[in-house]
Amino acid sequence: MPEVEIRNVTKRFGDIIAVDNVSLHVHDREYFALLGPSGCGKTTLLRLIAGLIKPDEGEIYIDGKLVNDVPPEDRGVGFVFQTFALFPHMNVWDNVTYGPRVKGWGEEKAARIAHEALEMVLLHERLDAYPNELSGGMMQRVAVARALCAGAKLLLLDEPLGQLDAKVRNQLRYEIRRMAKDLGLTAIHVTHDQAEAMAISDRIAVMRKGKILQVGTPQELYIKPKHIFVANFIGEANFLEGYVKEIKKNHSIVEIRGGIRIKIADKTFKRGERVVLAVRPETTIIEIGKARENNYINGKIERLRFEGTNVRYEIRLENEDEIVAIRPSMTEEWLDVGEKVVVHLPMNKIYVFPYPSKGLREELSVE
Amino acid sequence: MDKNEIYKTLDKLSSKKSIKYAVYLSSIVVFIAIILLPPIIGIILKWNLMGQIFEQPQLLDRALNAVYASFGVAFLVSTIDVLTGLPFAWLITRGKYRILGVLDTLADMPFIVPTTALGYSLMLFWSTPQGVSQLFNTESLVSPGWLLVILLHFVFSYPVVVRVLVGALMDYRMEYEEAARTLGAAPFTADRTVTLPIIKSSIIAAFTLAFARSISETGATMMVAGTFENGAIFIKNMKLQNNYGPMVFVSFVLIAISATIFAVIRILGTKFKLPIRRVWPNAERKLSSKGIANFRNTISIIIFFSLVIIPSIFVAFPAVSAVFTDTLMDAFAGRRVWADFWQSIGLSYGVGALATVINVIIGLPMAVLIARKTLGRSTANIFDILTDIPIIIPSTALGASLSIFWKESFAFLPEIWPLIFAHLAITYPYYVKSMAAAIQRISIEYEEAARTLGARPFTVFRTIIFPLTKYSLFAGAIMIFTRSVSETGATVAVVEQLRTAPVLLVKWIPKNGAPELPATSLDVALGCGFLIVLSFVILLILRLVVGGERKG
Ligand SMILES: Nc1ncnc2c1ncn2[C@@H]1O[C@H](COP(=O)(O)OP(=O)(O)O)[C@@H](O)[C@H]1O
Ligand SMILES: [Mg+2]
């Protein structure tokens, strides 16, 4: 029963801390995503789990067994590389049966398992083709079949869809999930694409600069981001800077630029503390009229973009801050550029974060 | 013009069909005119003398025996070279210690020592009471003869083999091996079934270079051969008697057979598959253990130092004691035989640097042509074999040919030109071979991908081929440079006034009694010592500048 537990693992390359004191628990049969911008240490973490590199500190457990000193060939993992790493001197069949062969399972068993795996990835033809004759989608299928064939119960996928074009990518991502689920595997899927992670994962860990910021289901991350970076990286958010002005019985008041007062439900902040408010464009409400009370701000529509399902409005507020709101394109009236509107930020839809010590831009940066 | 504009211009030029063909054709013309033709002109001109030998059955017998001996030694030596060079190259590229970078540079040592001095050094080491024989209480542990010849050939082709294999392993993508590991392969299995087959073309290239070099080397071989006679020594003996018929005959036979062998390797090499389907998991797992790996590394290092490095620089050992004598002062003051030494060192490095730069430029299109079959498969095969010829030709025959070509036909040229051209011819194959093998290893897909993304041929080279083969390019350049700096046999034949360092040193080494120039053995030691240390420092600096990015 493959269950992965990572305890306080750190990996350095010279001065770079690629993985910084990470702890993580991936459950049996879970489809788990490691999500983060490029360079945040996802591949390194995956390679640590596979045993391709060793941690400088911390422990890694697979099935409750400490595997720090277990070589990759004995960890029972299937690794799908970003570039697939199909052996160029072997054809598809030999690639796929490589695992059974090096494990000495015998030709017959190898052939049976290989057929099952190829069936699984819907690949029946061209078994004698060499990797350089295959399309990206086919290489991906072969890479997955090869990993499955080795009998792995823990599938590690490093941006397995990164090399494919958008259409194939969207199709294959559901296939991989279905396969993992059908076979009862545990899968850890690395990606920098939040839509992909949201679409297929049971749970997601959001990483940044070698650290895990938050772990949760896609809904949790979307609805209750615990970190300002997560609020921005999962979905989208508007950010408004301000100070906590008053603390009331059931709410607090934050004053943003231009003396505008915003009521927030959160009461964990002290008076005078510098904070950042985050509101998703889809919960930012636009109305016609004038601001009358807290959480209503006057503004003017500066730009509008039709995105198919939604219309996206970019609004300049009276305090010169900019804010984005989206409305369904078919069920809501369209507004015009230049139109004067009032923007409503519902109190219970506002996330509040302490102002980051290194500045907002730095904290949101995906570098 | 700034860099980008130059790139743009080159890009535009490179995508013109006519320019493309012009580049390849001119590289072919240059190859034939200054690399291939001069070394074989002697054979062509004296072709009609070849029949002479058939009238002398005894001499023919001797000639054929010599040819057998040549191929026997070459085959044995190249096999041992690959078998011992591979684990060593592995250790250098995969080891975690920085010190291994020094080993890597040390491996070039036998290449730096002028070949004749190398022969002299091995003889001192193995066959005289001053050498290793001391430890065994004998006069001569290995007397001059076939065994010493094998030891010598092993030593001077070792750097080539290591250089080519290190290049291959550096350019190799570790992901293949990692994939094999995660699929359940023990390290040994992964190496055997994945890494080795992928670097196969480089292993073949290494074998071929070692083989060719063993066939042709003369100067040093003569020093250690005793009564043993191979093709190269036979040629030298015939030359001394001005007996040109047998000389041309054996040269031709050596070239023809070698070329045939290479052609067979070339054709079968791609078809020949290493046996990778069968796996013995338990046995291979045991072979992968730390203990075995440490054992293998230890053996590699012992072989490296005791059979390769120490014997080849043994001649320079007494240089240490020279520090306490007048010899060092003489050397720095340029007194006695030292008057010409520093000049010759300058000349050697100058010619070496020039040969390197020119060959890197003119050899590149040829390497691409061979690796990518740009002008068709058979053209590629033909040139792959033809480019080996300059290093198969025994140095005496090569020297004779080069001197006919350059000294007689181009007598008006200042001597520096024949010198440079001769060095170009001798070093060209090393570079083209290692570069072609490297280009072959990178999947054509990357190139095609880049092309479809709109990159023109020059950009493809600059952004794809170059970065992926950088180490091999560098390795090729090192081989050119070191080979040029140590070349003796052919150099002697084409120049009279100019003396490169090896030529000068050869005149210092005693042969059948007294040396040509009145040098002491301390002078020889110190001279070799300077050459070795200087070259070593240059290589180390080059490596630090170029190779700062060893694979983590
Ligand atoms: N073998 C290595 N040597 C040196 N630095 C490395 C190595 N592998 C990764 N890094 C560095 O570690 C950091 C994390 O890399 P990686 O795990 O590949 O990120 P991701 O997969 O999230 O893009 C990067 O800064 C990267 O440059
Ligand atoms: Mg990555």
Side-chain angles (χ1 to χ4, degrees):
Chain A
M1 292 301 100
E3 176 189 20
V4 179
E5 195 175 347
I6 293 166
R7 282 195 206 147
N8 306 99
V9 163
T10 296
K11 178 70 190 177
R12 300 183 192 88
F13 296 109
D15 297 336
I16 300 171
I17 307 182
V19 169
D20 190 358
N21 194 20
V22 161
S23 295
L24 185 66
H25 191 160
V26 179
H27 305 303
D28 182 30
R29 296 171 193 237
E30 188 168 34
Y31 202 102
F32 193 91
L34 280 177
L35 172 68
S38 147
C40 72
K42 307 179 295 291
T43 298
T44 305
L45 187 53
L46 208 61
R47 290 164 62 82
L48 284 164
I49 298 172
L52 295 171
I53 46 175
K54 289 194 172 176
D56 295 321
E57 287 155 36
E59 294 101 46
I60 298 172
Y61 296 86
I62 297 179
D63 283 347
K65 193 176 133 233
L66 182 66
V67 292
N68 280 31
D69 292 319
V70 177
E73 61 268 28
D74 295 332
R75 288 200 186 186
V77 299
F79 201 111
V80 176
F81 289 81
Q82 193 166 4
T83 52
F84 308 134
L86 297 180
F87 305 134
H89 59 299
M90 297 182 196
N91 62 24
V92 169
W93 180 255
D94 286 347
N95 261 286
V96 173
T97 54
Y98 185 84
R101 255 185 299 135
V102 297
K103 290 182 175 178
W105 285 350
E107 288 290 324
E108 216 173 292
K109 185 175 174 196
R112 199 186 69 238
I113 294 173
H115 279 300
E116 277 169 18
L118 288 166
E119 188 78 23
M120 206 71 205
V121 299
L122 310 173
L123 194 81
H124 311 285
E125 299 149 59
R126 313 208 48 201
L127 300 185
D128 51 359
Y130 281 84
N132 59 10
E133 303 162 356
L134 301 177
S135 68
M138 291 200 26
M139 288 205 272
Q140 204 267 353
R141 286 165 199 269
V142 176
V144 172
R146 184 174 73 173
L148 293 179
C149 228
K153 289 281 173 215
L154 172 60
L155 200 54
L156 305 174
L157 306 140
D158 191 4
E159 314 229 2
L161 307 168
Q163 305 242 327
L164 308 176
D165 57 58
K167 260 267 160 6
V168 184
R169 188 157 66 217
N170 286 344
Q171 181 195 346
L172 283 184
R173 67 189 187 196
Y174 295 109
E175 268 181 39
I176 297 186
R177 180 187 160 90
R178 168 186 59 79
M179 226 154 41
K181 288 295 171 190
D182 286 355
L183 294 172
L185 307 180
T186 305
I188 304 181
H189 177 129
V190 161
T191 177
H192 63 262
D193 178 346
Q194 57 101 6
E196 182 176 306
M198 300 277 275
I200 54 175
S201 320
D202 297 327
R203 283 193 309 151
I204 301 172
V206 180
M207 279 186 82
R208 178 165 172 272
K209 293 189 177 164
K211 284 190 158 59
I212 289 185
L213 299 180
Q214 188 175 355
V215 182
T217 64
Q219 293 90 321
E220 278 166 358
L221 294 179
Y222 180 75
I223 295 168
K224 292 192 200 120
K226 290 209 181 95
H227 191 284
I228 192 163
F229 179 81
V230 177
N232 192 44
F233 200 67
I234 303 274
E236 227 187 316
N238 293 303
F239 294 103
L240 300 167
E241 300 172 26
Y243 293 90
V244 176
K245 194 81 182 164
E246 291 168 35
I247 306 214
K248 297 268 173 67
K249 192 152 171 255
N250 293 320
H251 65 269
S252 305
I253 300 285
V254 169
E255 192 175 292
I256 62 170
R257 214 141 66 106
I260 297 170
R261 290 160 66 91
I262 306 283
K263 231 163 48 166
I264 59 169
D266 199 315
K267 285 185 50 192
T268 52
F269 292 88
K270 286 200 265 318
R271 226 177 95 168
E273 203 173 336
R274 197 168 173 198
V275 293
V276 178
L277 308 182
V279 196
R280 297 207 179 280
E282 52 273 34
T283 52
T284 301
I285 300 167
I286 319 175
E287 292 167 6
I288 305 294
K290 275 220 160 267
R292 285 159 278 112
E293 49 179 309
N294 288 344
N295 296 30
Y296 285 81
I297 314 165
N298 293 319
K300 195 169 95 180
I301 297 179
E302 273 203 335
R303 217 168 297 132
L304 152 170
R305 244 193 351 237
F306 175 53
E307 293 180 329
T309 319
N310 295 315
V311 183
R312 180 184 181 88
Y313 297 96
E314 290 174 27
I315 300 154
R316 177 73 57 195
L317 300 179
E318 60 186 334
N319 70 353
E320 292 303 314
D321 279 347
E322 198 176 298
I323 204 164
V324 174
I326 57 178
R327 309 216 292 180
S329 51
M330 298 299 279
T331 50
E332 300 262 356
E333 197 99 8
W334 287 31
L335 303 167
D336 291 326
V337 172
E339 205 160 332
K340 293 222 160 78
V341 292
V342 54
V343 170
H344 175 205
L345 308 175
M347 178 171 84
N348 56 357
K349 296 282 162 50
I350 299 174
Y351 310 126
V352 191
F353 301 103
Y355 189 85
S357 54
K358 286 184 187 136
L360 183 58
R361 183 185 294 255
E362 166 71 17
E363 193 72 354
L364 297 179
S365 125
V366 293
E367 293 291 285
Chain B
M1 255 207 290
D2 76 328
K3 213 163 69 183
N4 286 330
E5 260 175 81
I6 298 176
Y7 287 160
K8 241 190 216 149
T9 317
L10 286 172
D11 252 345
K12 243 195 226 131
L13 289 176
S14 70
S15 59
K16 286 213 180 94
K17 264 241 160 61
S18 54
I19 299 267
K20 183 180 124 185
Y21 284 110
V23 167
Y24 287 117
L25 286 182
S26 57
S27 83
I28 290 176
V29 169
V30 165
F31 167 68
I32 292 177
I34 69 172
I35 309 290
L36 181 64
L37 200 55
I40 57 171
I41 194 84
I43 298 178
I44 297 172
L45 292 179
K46 300 234 157 55
W47 182 260
N48 51 352
L49 298 181
M50 188 134 65
Q52 284 176 0
I53 195 165
F54 296 104
E55 290 147 25
Q56 301 160 274
Q58 267 183 332
L59 200 56
L60 182 62
D61 246 14
R62 194 177 134 195
L64 292 180
N65 277 334
V67 170
Y68 286 140
S70 274
F71 285 108
V73 168
F75 185 79
L76 195 65
V77 162
S78 340
T79 308
I80 303 176
D81 262 320
V82 169
L83 289 181
T84 54
L86 193 58
F88 187 71
W90 215 282
L91 171 65
I92 290 177
T93 45
R94 299 291 173 80
K96 293 194 182 64
Y97 304 102
R98 286 227 136 239
I99 189 80
L100 293 170
V102 178
L103 278 192
D104 195 10
T105 308
L106 265 183
D108 291 326
M109 207 61 109
F111 228 54
I112 304 169
V113 183
T115 20
T116 317
L118 189 73
Y120 181 57
S121 185
L122 253 72
M123 198 184 60
L124 286 182
F125 183 78
W126 292 111
S127 318
T128 67
Q130 298 98 288
V132 70
S133 313
Q134 278 176 38
L135 302 177
F136 297 88
N137 259 332
T138 63
E139 282 283 296
S140 162
L141 187 65
V142 182
S143 304
W146 62 271
L147 184 55
L148 200 53
V149 170
I150 287 176
L151 278 170
L152 170 74
H153 287 205
F154 169 72
V155 169
F156 65 57
S157 28
Y158 192 81
V160 187
V161 170
V162 170
R163 190 60 42 242
V164 173
L165 294 179
V166 165
L169 288 171
M170 285 279 191
D171 295 338
Y172 171 75
R173 268 176 51 208
M174 280 298 284
E175 269 184 12
Y176 293 126
E177 201 167 306
E178 292 174 344
R181 293 290 299 283
T182 60
L183 292 169
F188 180 84
T189 314
D191 295 344
R192 182 176 70 82
T193 57
V194 174
T195 311
L196 286 187
I198 292 178
I199 64 165
K200 191 179 69 182
S201 62
S202 291
I203 297 179
I204 292 176
F207 182 91
T208 315
L209 286 172
F211 194 93
R213 184 92 178 89
S214 170
I215 294 287
S216 64
E217 209 289 328
T218 316
T221 310
M222 287 201 38
M223 229 162 221
V224 303
T227 56
F228 175 78
E229 190 178 57
N230 69 1
I233 301 176
F234 179 87
I235 289 171
K236 179 80 182 180
N237 290 337
M238 291 302 112
K239 173 91 194 302
L240 290 175
Q241 303 167 13
N242 285 330
N243 197 352
Y244 287 103
M247 178 175 162
V248 173
F249 172 76
V250 170
S251 304
F252 175 74
V253 169
L254 289 177
I255 295 171
I257 297 181
S258 308
T260 312
I261 293 176
F262 295 158
V264 169
I265 291 180
R266 166 86 185 174
I267 293 161
L268 294 186
T270 46
K271 300 227 173 73
F272 167 72
K273 298 245 153 71
L274 292 164
I276 55 172
R277 290 201 57 94
R278 282 294 300 272
V279 175
W280 297 267
N282 291 330
E284 297 191 16
R285 204 163 252 271
K286 289 208 183 84
L287 284 174
S288 306
S289 72
K290 273 244 160 58
I292 299 253
N294 287 338
F295 178 72
R296 196 184 57 220
N297 291 340
T298 312
I299 295 284
S300 293
I301 290 181
I302 291 176
I303 290 182
F304 177 64
F305 280 103
S306 66
L307 295 186
V308 180
I309 291 299
I310 296 176
S312 56
I313 59 173
F314 189 68
V315 61
F317 280 13
V320 178
S321 59
V323 174
F324 307 104
T325 66
D326 289 342
T327 310
L328 190 68
M329 293 320 296
D330 286 350
F332 284 126
R335 280 194 288 266
R336 296 188 295 112
V337 289
W338 291 92
D340 305 326
F341 182 78
W342 298 109
Q343 222 175 345
S344 76
I345 288 259
L347 179 65
S348 278
Y349 289 142
V351 170
L354 206 57
T356 307
V357 172
I358 297 178
N359 262 343
V360 163
I361 295 168
I362 65 174
L364 201 53
M366 183 57 83
V368 173
L369 186 156
I370 291 174
R372 286 287 183 247
K373 308 180 176 65
T374 326
L375 301 183
R377 180 178 292 272
S378 37
T379 319
N381 282 337
I382 290 170
F383 281 105
D384 188 33
I385 293 158
L386 287 183
T387 47
D388 277 329
I389 289 185
I391 48 173
I392 315 168
I393 305 171
S395 359
T396 312
L398 181 79
S401 275
L402 287 175
S403 109
I404 291 175
F405 192 87
W406 293 114
K407 275 203 344 223
E408 294 171 17
S409 318
F410 293 89
F412 55 89
L413 281 181
E415 230 179 38
I416 185 82
W417 290 108
L419 180 62
I420 290 169
F421 285 133
H423 281 232
L424 283 179
I426 294 158
T427 55
Y428 183 91
Y430 292 98
Y431 169 70
V432 170
K433 284 289 123 141
S434 76
M435 201 57 201
I439 296 175
Q440 228 154 24
R441 271 195 313 272
I442 50 173
S443 162
I444 191 137
E445 244 184 283
Y446 295 120
E447 267 176 77
E448 288 170 351
R451 291 298 294 276
T452 57
L453 292 172
R456 299 182 184 238
F458 174 74
T459 301
V460 171
F461 178 78
R462 188 172 58 86
T463 56
I464 311 281
I465 302 183
F466 178 70
L468 288 174
T469 56
K470 202 167 43 179
Y471 191 86
S472 290
L473 190 97
F474 173 58
I478 284 188
M479 284 197 279
I480 302 176
F481 183 75
T482 49
R483 181 78 187 93
S484 164
V485 167
S486 66
E487 212 293 326
T488 327
T491 312
V492 179
V494 293
V495 294
E496 268 157 18
Q497 314 294 326
L498 292 173
R499 282 181 190 160
T500 61
V503 172
L504 192 71
L505 283 173
V506 166
K507 293 184 191 296
W508 290 9
I509 293 176
K511 268 164 297 193
N512 322 319
E516 238 175 277
L517 295 172
T520 65
S521 61
L522 214 51
D523 290 328
V524 176
L526 196 59
C528 290
F530 278 134
L531 190 60
I532 292 169
V533 169
L534 279 175
S535 302
F536 187 69
V537 169
I538 292 178
L539 292 186
L540 211 54
I541 291 172
L542 266 182
R543 191 175 299 269
L544 289 179
V545 173
V546 182
E549 51 245 273
R550 271 167 56 87
K551 252 186 209 177

